Amino acid sequence: TGITPAVSAEAAKITETACRVAKEHGLTISCDLNYRKKLWSREEANKAMTELTIPAGVTSIGLQAFMNCFKVKEWILPEKLTSIGEQAFAWCSGFSSVVIPEGVTTIDKQAFEGCSSLKKVTLPESLTFIGEDAFFGCSSLETVEYNGNEEQWNSINKAYNDTLLSANIVFLGEPEVAVDYEYYINADGK
């Protein structure tokens, strides 16, 4: 749990070792990483459990699953992912970009709230719903890359997402415009 590494430096080392051994043996573990401010300082928490891998078979990231994991610099989300739950990555201020994989249809409310270092997010064409304030407090957000076209983007339910909608939206799925040039030769050969 998030409590175990907070008990002592030794407990933090044991927890990290247990996680690594489980990974080496192909075991999937569940771990509550919510920051417990009554048990340790941010500086102490910042040193523990900085390497996190979300297993390839994970299809849903639940409520507050990684909330306050402010030390993590990069999130690599599994290809089979279909939904990101409420406040799943809230207050994770250590990363600057994230790619949401194709297949994700739902990003729940406040999923990335307070991710103040987030500058760029890539969203899949499969996305149909972005919950209220999903990117609220992402004060550095500059660019949103969307793998669909503008018409598809406009069909996504994304009410109350001013921070997201204020960013530069780049449509990666826009069809290429084919230009057919015809050359005419005038009577004088030009």
Side-chain angles (χ1 to χ4, degrees):
T1 72
I3 294 171
T4 306
V7 173
S8 69
E10 187 62 28
K13 287 179 188 175
I14 291 169
T15 303
E16 188 172 348
T17 300
C19 290
R20 284 178 204 241
V21 170
K23 182 179 178 183
E24 289 168 8
H25 287 87
L27 301 173
T28 300
I29 60 167
S30 176
C31 187
D32 170 10
L33 296 173
N34 286 330
Y35 168 63
R36 307 298 200 286
K37 67 181 176 182
K38 291 183 180 181
L39 297 176
W40 56 357
S41 70
R42 277 196 175 264
E43 292 75 27
E44 291 169 315
N46 220 6
K47 296 175 186 171
M49 301 180 79
T50 59
E51 298 175 23
L52 301 174
T53 301
I54 301 172
V58 170
T59 58
S60 179
I61 297 175
L63 171 71
Q64 300 177 345
F66 298 104
M67 184 176 180
N68 284 315
C69 290
F70 49 86
K71 179 68 175 176
V72 178
K73 300 288 183 201
E74 181 180 16
W75 293 100
I76 299 174
L77 303 179
E79 290 181 15
K80 293 184 179 181
L81 192 64
T82 60
S83 66
I84 299 174
E86 183 178 334
Q87 293 185 321
F89 296 96
W91 307 106
C92 295
S93 57
F95 69 107
S96 62
S97 68
V98 65
V99 176
I100 310 296
E102 191 60 45
V104 171
T105 59
T106 302
I107 298 175
D108 213 338
K109 69 180 184 178
Q110 301 167 330
F112 291 91
E113 177 183 15
C115 297
S116 57
S117 297
L118 183 60
K119 292 181 179 183
K120 178 180 154 187
V121 61
T122 302
L123 300 173
E125 182 180 345
S126 57
L127 195 60
T128 59
F129 178 79
I130 302 174
E132 236 177 79
D133 292 328
F135 293 88
F136 180 78
C138 297
S139 54
S140 298
L141 189 60
E142 298 169 352
T143 305
V144 175
E145 292 182 342
Y146 175 61
N147 283 320
N149 60 41
E150 189 171 3
E151 183 180 343
Q152 292 165 313
W153 173 255
N154 290 334
S155 72
I156 297 172
N157 182 345
K158 54 188 172 305
Y160 305 106
N161 275 288
D162 295 342
T163 304
L164 180 72
L165 299 174
S166 297
N168 179 36
I169 313 291
V170 179
F171 301 105
L172 302 176
E174 288 293 347
E176 290 185 29
V177 178
V179 179
D180 186 17
Y181 292 101
E182 292 185 25
Y183 294 95
Y184 296 95
I185 298 175
N186 295 331
D188 60 359
K190 295 182 183 176

